[in-house]
Amino acid sequence: MGKTVDNVLFPTRNVQEEGGERRKHHIIACSHCPSEATARAATGAGGLGNEMLTRKFTRLGWYVSRSPGGHLCPTCNPTKERAVLTVVRSEPEKEEPVAQPTPVTVRDMSFADRRIINSKLEEVYENELLGYRVGWDDEKVARDLGVETAWVTELRGQNFGPARGNQAIIEIQTEQKQLRKDLEAFRAEGERLTKRVIALGEKLQATGLANAA
C-alpha cells in the first residue's frame, strides 16, 4: 500500500472539533500574521482537491497563493484592502480650449496716409497757440479719415503743434467772440429801436400832430 502524500498547498493536521473528536483538517495560514483557517478533510477517495479548497477559502475572504508561503487572511488580503480604500474619483472636467484672439497687424503709415492726414490738419488745426479748432482732436481726425489715431498724433506733433493751445489765449479769444456777439445783438436792437422811432414820427405827421410834438 502506497504512502498518502500530504497536500502541500493546504497541509493537514488533526484538529479537535466541538464534540471533542479529533479530525483531519486542511490548514491555510496567513503569511503576514498568525491567522489560520481550516477545512475538514474529506474522508472519501481523493479527498478535497486544491481547486475546491481554493474556492472555499476564497469565499471566506482569503487570498490563496500558488505557493504555501504566500496566503493572506481576510485582514491582510491586499485585494480586500484595495476594495475598501479605493475611492471613485470623477475625472476632472476637460477645459474647452480657449480660442486665442487673432493678433491684429497694424500696417505702417504710407506716404498717402501722411498726405491726407496733413491735409486734414491744415483744415481743422488753428495754430500752435490755439491748437485744434473747436470740435476737433486727434481721435476725431482719425475717425474722419479712417486711419490710426497714433499717426495723427505723430504728424500733428511733428508739423503743427500741441493738441491744445495756450489756455489764457484761448480764454481771451473766447471772450472776444462773445463780446462781438453781444455787440451784434446791441446793434440789431439799436436798428430796431431806430426804425420804431422813425415809424412813430411818420405816424404823427400823418395825423397832423407833428407841431404839437
Side-chain angles (χ1 to χ4, degrees):
M1 188 173 180
K3 231 177 171 181
T4 302
V5 179
D6 198 4
N7 189 318
V8 175
L9 193 60
F10 305 108
T12 58
R13 73 164 178 257
N14 290 326
V15 176
Q16 186 172 353
E17 297 182 342
E18 292 183 359
E21 186 177 358
R22 298 183 67 82
R23 290 183 179 274
K24 185 178 288 188
H25 283 242
H26 289 284
I27 308 296
I28 184 172
C30 181
S31 59
H32 281 195
C33 73
S35 298
E36 288 185 345
T38 66
R40 182 188 289 184
T43 57
L48 295 175
N50 284 345
E51 184 178 350
M52 187 175 294
L53 287 167
T54 297
R55 286 200 299 268
K56 181 179 180 67
F57 289 127
T58 300
R59 283 196 299 270
L60 295 175
W62 283 75
Y63 169 77
V64 179
S65 173
R66 293 182 180 180
S67 60
H71 304 315
L72 294 172
C73 69
T75 302
C76 301
N77 184 351
T79 304
K80 180 179 179 182
E81 183 180 14
R82 283 197 296 272
V84 172
L85 296 181
T86 297
V87 178
V88 178
R89 293 183 176 86
S90 59
E91 293 185 2
E93 294 183 2
K94 294 181 179 179
E95 294 184 0
E96 293 294 331
V98 178
Q100 296 297 324
T102 304
V104 178
T105 304
V106 180
R107 65 183 179 87
D108 293 332
M109 181 167 42
S110 66
F111 288 110
D113 294 322
R114 291 176 183 275
R115 283 196 298 271
I116 63 170
I117 293 171
N118 282 324
S119 177
K120 187 66 178 180
L121 288 172
E122 289 282 0
E123 177 187 335
V124 300
Y125 191 87
E126 191 70 43
N127 54 53
E128 62 183 359
L129 294 178
L130 300 176
Y132 275 110
R133 291 174 183 169
V134 177
W136 288 94
D137 56 26
D138 291 347
E139 290 187 4
K140 189 168 183 180
V141 171
R143 286 197 303 270
D144 186 71
L145 300 177
V147 298
E148 299 292 330
T149 303
W151 297 351
V152 177
T153 302
E154 179 183 344
L155 292 180
R156 189 254 311 144
Q158 289 175 352
N159 305 322
F160 293 86
R164 298 185 61 187
N166 186 292
Q167 190 62 31
I169 295 176
I170 293 174
E171 290 176 359
I172 292 172
Q173 236 190 15
T174 302
E175 188 175 356
Q176 283 180 333
K177 289 178 180 178
Q178 185 60 46
L179 287 173
R180 289 193 186 99
K181 288 181 181 179
D182 293 342
L183 285 173
E184 288 296 328
F186 291 149
R187 186 180 294 111
E189 181 66 13
E191 290 177 356
R192 186 184 68 80
L193 292 174
T194 300
K195 289 178 181 179
R196 187 175 178 186
V197 170
I198 293 171
L200 289 173
E202 291 175 349
K203 189 174 183 180
L204 284 173
Q205 288 178 354
T207 56
L209 299 175
N211 292 331

mmCIF file of all heavy atoms in Angstrom, residues 116-127 130-138 140-142 144-145 152 156 160 162-163:
data_model
loop_
_atom_site.group_PDB
_atom_site.id
_atom_site.type_symbol
_atom_site.label_atom_id
_atom_site.label_comp_id
_atom_site.label_asym_id
_atom_site.label_seq_id
_atom_site.Cartn_x
_atom_site.Cartn_y
_atom_site.Cartn_z
ATOM 1 N N ILE A 116 -2.923 112.738 -46.639
ATOM 2 C CA ILE A 116 -4.322 113.034 -46.295
ATOM 3 C C ILE A 116 -4.432 113.537 -44.860
ATOM 4 O O ILE A 116 -5.264 114.391 -44.544
ATOM 5 C CB ILE A 116 -5.231 111.806 -46.519
ATOM 6 C CG1 ILE A 116 -4.835 110.626 -45.616
ATOM 7 C CG2 ILE A 116 -5.234 111.377 -47.962
ATOM 8 C CD1 ILE A 116 -5.836 109.480 -45.634
ATOM 9 N N ILE A 117 -3.572 113.023 -43.954
ATOM 10 C CA ILE A 117 -3.613 113.480 -42.557
ATOM 11 C C ILE A 117 -3.157 114.934 -42.471
ATOM 12 O O ILE A 117 -3.804 115.771 -41.818
ATOM 13 C CB ILE A 117 -2.755 112.577 -41.650
ATOM 14 C CG1 ILE A 117 -3.352 111.174 -41.559
ATOM 15 C CG2 ILE A 117 -2.635 113.178 -40.246
ATOM 16 C CD1 ILE A 117 -2.475 110.153 -40.865
ATOM 17 N N ASN A 118 -2.044 115.257 -43.138
ATOM 18 C CA ASN A 118 -1.551 116.637 -43.114
ATOM 19 C C ASN A 118 -2.559 117.596 -43.743
ATOM 20 O O ASN A 118 -2.742 118.725 -43.270
ATOM 21 C CB ASN A 118 -0.215 116.728 -43.847
ATOM 22 C CG ASN A 118 0.945 116.211 -42.998
ATOM 23 O OD1 ASN A 118 0.955 116.396 -41.779
ATOM 24 N ND2 ASN A 118 1.915 115.575 -43.635
ATOM 25 N N SER A 119 -3.230 117.138 -44.805
ATOM 26 C CA SER A 119 -4.230 117.984 -45.462
ATOM 27 C C SER A 119 -5.391 118.270 -44.524
ATOM 28 O O SER A 119 -5.883 119.407 -44.435
ATOM 29 C CB SER A 119 -4.725 117.295 -46.729
ATOM 30 O OG SER A 119 -5.748 118.050 -47.343
ATOM 31 N N LYS A 120 -5.818 117.236 -43.784
ATOM 32 C CA LYS A 120 -6.928 117.427 -42.847
ATOM 33 C C LYS A 120 -6.516 118.326 -41.696
ATOM 34 O O LYS A 120 -7.299 119.174 -41.229
ATOM 35 C CB LYS A 120 -7.403 116.064 -42.314
ATOM 36 C CG LYS A 120 -8.668 116.132 -41.472
ATOM 37 C CD LYS A 120 -9.856 116.558 -42.303
ATOM 38 C CE LYS A 120 -11.138 116.579 -41.488
ATOM 39 N NZ LYS A 120 -12.308 116.988 -42.295
ATOM 40 N N LEU A 121 -5.291 118.187 -41.217
ATOM 41 C CA LEU A 121 -4.809 119.030 -40.126
ATOM 42 C C LEU A 121 -4.738 120.496 -40.553
ATOM 43 O O LEU A 121 -5.010 121.399 -39.752
ATOM 44 C CB LEU A 121 -3.446 118.544 -39.645
ATOM 45 C CG LEU A 121 -3.443 117.220 -38.855
ATOM 46 C CD1 LEU A 121 -2.024 116.731 -38.603
ATOM 47 C CD2 LEU A 121 -4.195 117.373 -37.535
ATOM 48 N N GLU A 122 -4.375 120.732 -41.787
ATOM 49 C CA GLU A 122 -4.371 122.103 -42.305
ATOM 50 C C GLU A 122 -5.770 122.715 -42.215
ATOM 51 O O GLU A 122 -5.936 123.912 -41.978
ATOM 52 C CB GLU A 122 -3.908 122.119 -43.770
ATOM 53 C CG GLU A 122 -2.441 121.815 -43.974
ATOM 54 C CD GLU A 122 -1.553 123.008 -43.645
ATOM 55 O OE1 GLU A 122 -2.077 124.071 -43.254
ATOM 56 O OE2 GLU A 122 -0.315 122.868 -43.771
ATOM 57 N N GLU A 123 -6.759 121.860 -42.353
ATOM 58 C CA GLU A 123 -8.151 122.324 -42.362
ATOM 59 C C GLU A 123 -8.693 122.583 -40.961
ATOM 60 O O GLU A 123 -9.437 123.555 -40.751
ATOM 61 C CB GLU A 123 -9.004 121.263 -43.070
ATOM 62 C CG GLU A 123 -10.492 121.548 -43.110
ATOM 63 C CD GLU A 123 -11.279 120.382 -43.678
ATOM 64 O OE1 GLU A 123 -10.706 119.588 -44.453
ATOM 65 O OE2 GLU A 123 -12.469 120.267 -43.349
ATOM 66 N N VAL A 124 -8.346 121.729 -39.991
ATOM 67 C CA VAL A 124 -9.002 121.788 -38.679
ATOM 68 C C VAL A 124 -8.085 122.278 -37.558
ATOM 69 O O VAL A 124 -8.543 122.457 -36.426
ATOM 70 C CB VAL A 124 -9.567 120.407 -38.291
ATOM 71 C CG1 VAL A 124 -10.590 119.939 -39.304
ATOM 72 C CG2 VAL A 124 -8.449 119.370 -38.140
ATOM 73 N N TYR A 125 -6.793 122.488 -37.841
ATOM 74 C CA TYR A 125 -5.868 122.941 -36.800
ATOM 75 C C TYR A 125 -5.636 124.439 -36.971
ATOM 76 O O TYR A 125 -5.251 124.901 -38.051
ATOM 77 C CB TYR A 125 -4.542 122.178 -36.896
ATOM 78 C CG TYR A 125 -3.625 122.377 -35.711
ATOM 79 C CD1 TYR A 125 -3.727 121.589 -34.583
ATOM 80 C CD2 TYR A 125 -2.651 123.374 -35.729
ATOM 81 C CE1 TYR A 125 -2.884 121.768 -33.490
ATOM 82 C CE2 TYR A 125 -1.799 123.566 -34.648
ATOM 83 C CZ TYR A 125 -1.923 122.758 -33.533
ATOM 84 O OH TYR A 125 -1.089 122.942 -32.458
ATOM 85 N N GLU A 126 -5.880 125.195 -35.869
ATOM 86 C CA GLU A 126 -5.772 126.658 -35.946
ATOM 87 C C GLU A 126 -4.316 127.097 -36.022
ATOM 88 O O GLU A 126 -3.844 127.566 -37.051
ATOM 89 C CB GLU A 126 -6.450 127.280 -34.727
ATOM 90 C CG GLU A 126 -6.628 128.780 -34.822
ATOM 91 C CD GLU A 126 -7.671 129.167 -35.860
ATOM 92 O OE1 GLU A 126 -8.733 128.520 -35.917
ATOM 93 O OE2 GLU A 126 -7.390 130.098 -36.618
ATOM 94 N N ASN A 127 -3.614 126.962 -34.933
ATOM 95 C CA ASN A 127 -2.184 127.277 -34.886
ATOM 96 C C ASN A 127 -1.624 126.734 -33.571
ATOM 97 O O ASN A 127 -2.364 126.202 -32.739
ATOM 98 C CB ASN A 127 -1.924 128.789 -35.019
ATOM 99 C CG ASN A 127 -2.698 129.594 -33.986
ATOM 100 O OD1 ASN A 127 -2.611 129.323 -32.787
ATOM 101 N ND2 ASN A 127 -3.454 130.579 -34.443
ATOM 102 N N LEU A 130 -3.302 128.174 -30.370
ATOM 103 C CA LEU A 130 -4.695 127.843 -30.070
ATOM 104 C C LEU A 130 -4.993 126.348 -30.182
ATOM 105 O O LEU A 130 -5.973 125.877 -29.634
ATOM 106 C CB LEU A 130 -5.630 128.616 -31.022
ATOM 107 C CG LEU A 130 -5.536 130.133 -30.946
ATOM 108 C CD1 LEU A 130 -6.430 130.775 -32.000
ATOM 109 C CD2 LEU A 130 -5.910 130.628 -29.559
ATOM 110 N N GLY A 131 -4.141 125.616 -30.909
ATOM 111 C CA GLY A 131 -4.382 124.184 -31.064
ATOM 112 C C GLY A 131 -5.489 123.920 -32.066
ATOM 113 O O GLY A 131 -5.678 124.675 -33.028
ATOM 114 N N TYR A 132 -6.220 122.838 -31.832
ATOM 115 C CA TYR A 132 -7.317 122.471 -32.730
ATOM 116 C C TYR A 132 -8.434 123.510 -32.682
ATOM 117 O O TYR A 132 -8.664 124.158 -31.652
ATOM 118 C CB TYR A 132 -7.912 121.113 -32.335
ATOM 119 C CG TYR A 132 -7.188 119.925 -32.917
ATOM 120 C CD1 TYR A 132 -6.438 119.083 -32.096
ATOM 121 C CD2 TYR A 132 -7.276 119.618 -34.268
ATOM 122 C CE1 TYR A 132 -5.781 117.972 -32.619
ATOM 123 C CE2 TYR A 132 -6.630 118.520 -34.800
ATOM 124 C CZ TYR A 132 -5.886 117.695 -33.977
ATOM 125 O OH TYR A 132 -5.250 116.603 -34.494
ATOM 126 N N ARG A 133 -9.156 123.604 -33.783
ATOM 127 C CA ARG A 133 -10.376 124.395 -33.785
ATOM 128 C C ARG A 133 -11.441 123.659 -32.981
ATOM 129 O O ARG A 133 -11.346 122.448 -32.751
ATOM 130 C CB ARG A 133 -10.849 124.634 -35.226
ATOM 131 C CG ARG A 133 -9.910 125.563 -35.987
ATOM 132 C CD ARG A 133 -10.267 125.690 -37.435
ATOM 133 N NE ARG A 133 -9.275 126.529 -38.105
ATOM 134 C CZ ARG A 133 -9.179 126.664 -39.415
ATOM 135 N NH1 ARG A 133 -10.012 125.999 -40.223
ATOM 136 N NH2 ARG A 133 -8.257 127.454 -39.944
ATOM 137 N N VAL A 134 -12.456 124.384 -32.560
ATOM 138 C CA VAL A 134 -13.491 123.826 -31.683
ATOM 139 C C VAL A 134 -14.118 122.595 -32.333
ATOM 140 O O VAL A 134 -14.497 122.615 -33.514
ATOM 141 C CB VAL A 134 -14.573 124.891 -31.397
ATOM 142 C CG1 VAL A 134 -15.681 124.284 -30.542
ATOM 143 C CG2 VAL A 134 -13.954 126.088 -30.689
ATOM 144 N N GLY A 135 -14.226 121.527 -31.534
ATOM 145 C CA GLY A 135 -14.880 120.310 -32.001
ATOM 146 C C GLY A 135 -13.959 119.281 -32.621
ATOM 147 O O GLY A 135 -14.415 118.211 -33.021
ATOM 148 N N TRP A 136 -12.656 119.585 -32.661
ATOM 149 C CA TRP A 136 -11.724 118.653 -33.302
ATOM 150 C C TRP A 136 -10.635 118.235 -32.325
ATOM 151 O O TRP A 136 -10.253 118.991 -31.444
ATOM 152 C CB TRP A 136 -11.084 119.280 -34.545
ATOM 153 C CG TRP A 136 -12.042 119.415 -35.685
ATOM 154 C CD1 TRP A 136 -12.789 120.510 -35.999
ATOM 155 C CD2 TRP A 136 -12.369 118.412 -36.632
ATOM 156 N NE1 TRP A 136 -13.566 120.254 -37.101
ATOM 157 C CE2 TRP A 136 -13.325 118.963 -37.515
ATOM 158 C CE3 TRP A 136 -11.948 117.098 -36.851
ATOM 159 C CZ2 TRP A 136 -13.875 118.251 -38.579
ATOM 160 C CZ3 TRP A 136 -12.493 116.388 -37.915
ATOM 161 C CH2 TRP A 136 -13.442 116.962 -38.766
ATOM 162 N N ASP A 137 -10.151 117.002 -32.510
ATOM 163 C CA ASP A 137 -8.989 116.494 -31.770
ATOM 164 C C ASP A 137 -8.394 115.353 -32.590
ATOM 165 O O ASP A 137 -8.882 115.032 -33.690
ATOM 166 C CB ASP A 137 -9.369 116.033 -30.355
ATOM 167 C CG ASP A 137 -10.479 114.979 -30.342
ATOM 168 O OD1 ASP A 137 -10.619 114.246 -31.351
ATOM 169 O OD2 ASP A 137 -11.187 114.882 -29.331
ATOM 170 N N ASP A 138 -7.341 114.719 -32.069
ATOM 171 C CA ASP A 138 -6.665 113.649 -32.809
ATOM 172 C C ASP A 138 -7.616 112.508 -33.156
ATOM 173 O O ASP A 138 -7.605 111.989 -34.276
ATOM 174 C CB ASP A 138 -5.479 113.107 -31.997
ATOM 175 C CG ASP A 138 -4.342 114.108 -31.878
ATOM 176 O OD1 ASP A 138 -4.362 115.106 -32.625
ATOM 177 O OD2 ASP A 138 -3.443 113.887 -31.042
ATOM 178 N N LYS A 140 -10.913 112.442 -33.425
ATOM 179 C CA LYS A 140 -11.935 112.781 -34.414
ATOM 180 C C LYS A 140 -11.343 112.845 -35.812
ATOM 181 O O LYS A 140 -11.976 112.415 -36.788
ATOM 182 C CB LYS A 140 -12.604 114.107 -34.055
ATOM 183 C CG LYS A 140 -13.812 114.408 -34.929
ATOM 184 C CD LYS A 140 -14.630 115.555 -34.399
ATOM 185 C CE LYS A 140 -15.865 115.782 -35.271
ATOM 186 N NZ LYS A 140 -16.690 116.906 -34.770
ATOM 187 N N VAL A 141 -10.133 113.375 -35.945
ATOM 188 C CA VAL A 141 -9.469 113.406 -37.251
ATOM 189 C C VAL A 141 -9.241 111.980 -37.751
ATOM 190 O O VAL A 141 -9.484 111.671 -38.928
ATOM 191 C CB VAL A 141 -8.124 114.171 -37.158
ATOM 192 C CG1 VAL A 141 -7.333 114.019 -38.455
ATOM 193 C CG2 VAL A 141 -8.375 115.640 -36.865
ATOM 194 N N ALA A 142 -8.776 111.083 -36.849
ATOM 195 C CA ALA A 142 -8.511 109.687 -37.225
ATOM 196 C C ALA A 142 -9.792 108.994 -37.682
ATOM 197 O O ALA A 142 -9.787 108.270 -38.686
ATOM 198 C CB ALA A 142 -7.886 108.937 -36.047
ATOM 199 N N ASP A 144 -12.475 110.436 -38.882
ATOM 200 C CA ASP A 144 -12.932 111.066 -40.118
ATOM 201 C C ASP A 144 -12.189 110.512 -41.335
ATOM 202 O O ASP A 144 -12.773 110.338 -42.403
ATOM 203 C CB ASP A 144 -12.724 112.579 -40.023
ATOM 204 C CG ASP A 144 -13.316 113.329 -41.206
ATOM 205 O OD1 ASP A 144 -14.551 113.393 -41.296
ATOM 206 O OD2 ASP A 144 -12.534 113.826 -42.039
ATOM 207 N N LEU A 145 -10.899 110.198 -41.144
ATOM 208 C CA LEU A 145 -10.086 109.715 -42.261
ATOM 209 C C LEU A 145 -9.983 108.192 -42.323
ATOM 210 O O LEU A 145 -9.531 107.640 -43.324
ATOM 211 C CB LEU A 145 -8.669 110.306 -42.160
ATOM 212 C CG LEU A 145 -8.559 111.837 -42.208
ATOM 213 C CD1 LEU A 145 -7.108 112.253 -42.015
ATOM 214 C CD2 LEU A 145 -9.101 112.375 -43.525
ATOM 215 N N VAL A 152 -2.084 110.319 -36.477
ATOM 216 C CA VAL A 152 -2.499 111.727 -36.424
ATOM 217 C C VAL A 152 -1.706 112.445 -35.342
ATOM 218 O O VAL A 152 -1.206 113.557 -35.546
ATOM 219 C CB VAL A 152 -4.009 111.835 -36.152
ATOM 220 C CG1 VAL A 152 -4.430 113.299 -36.034
ATOM 221 C CG2 VAL A 152 -4.807 111.134 -37.251
ATOM 222 N N ARG A 156 0.704 115.549 -36.226
ATOM 223 C CA ARG A 156 0.306 116.830 -35.649
ATOM 224 C C ARG A 156 1.412 117.386 -34.771
ATOM 225 O O ARG A 156 1.742 118.576 -34.801
ATOM 226 C CB ARG A 156 -0.985 116.658 -34.851
ATOM 227 C CG ARG A 156 -1.611 117.974 -34.390
ATOM 228 C CD ARG A 156 -1.399 118.188 -32.912
ATOM 229 N NE ARG A 156 -1.769 117.018 -32.157
ATOM 230 C CZ ARG A 156 -1.117 116.618 -31.070
ATOM 231 N NH1 ARG A 156 -0.045 117.279 -30.643
ATOM 232 N NH2 ARG A 156 -1.499 115.552 -30.403
ATOM 233 N N PHE A 160 2.676 120.577 -36.703
ATOM 234 C CA PHE A 160 1.729 121.646 -36.383
ATOM 235 C C PHE A 160 1.926 122.212 -34.978
ATOM 236 O O PHE A 160 2.201 123.385 -34.807
ATOM 237 C CB PHE A 160 0.290 121.142 -36.562
ATOM 238 C CG PHE A 160 -0.037 120.847 -37.997
ATOM 239 C CD1 PHE A 160 0.252 119.617 -38.558
ATOM 240 C CD2 PHE A 160 -0.631 121.815 -38.799
ATOM 241 C CE1 PHE A 160 -0.035 119.350 -39.890
ATOM 242 C CE2 PHE A 160 -0.927 121.556 -40.124
ATOM 243 C CZ PHE A 160 -0.627 120.325 -40.683
ATOM 244 N N PRO A 162 0.941 121.545 -30.419
ATOM 245 C CA PRO A 162 0.206 120.788 -29.407
ATOM 246 C C PRO A 162 -1.282 120.678 -29.750
ATOM 247 O O PRO A 162 -1.825 121.505 -30.484
ATOM 248 C CB PRO A 162 0.420 121.601 -28.120
ATOM 249 C CG PRO A 162 0.688 122.993 -28.609
ATOM 250 C CD PRO A 162 1.420 122.845 -29.900
ATOM 251 N N ALA A 163 -1.919 119.631 -29.201
ATOM 252 C CA ALA A 163 -3.350 119.443 -29.457
ATOM 253 C C ALA A 163 -4.158 120.586 -28.858
ATOM 254 O O ALA A 163 -5.136 121.053 -29.457
ATOM 255 C CB ALA A 163 -3.807 118.105 -28.867
#
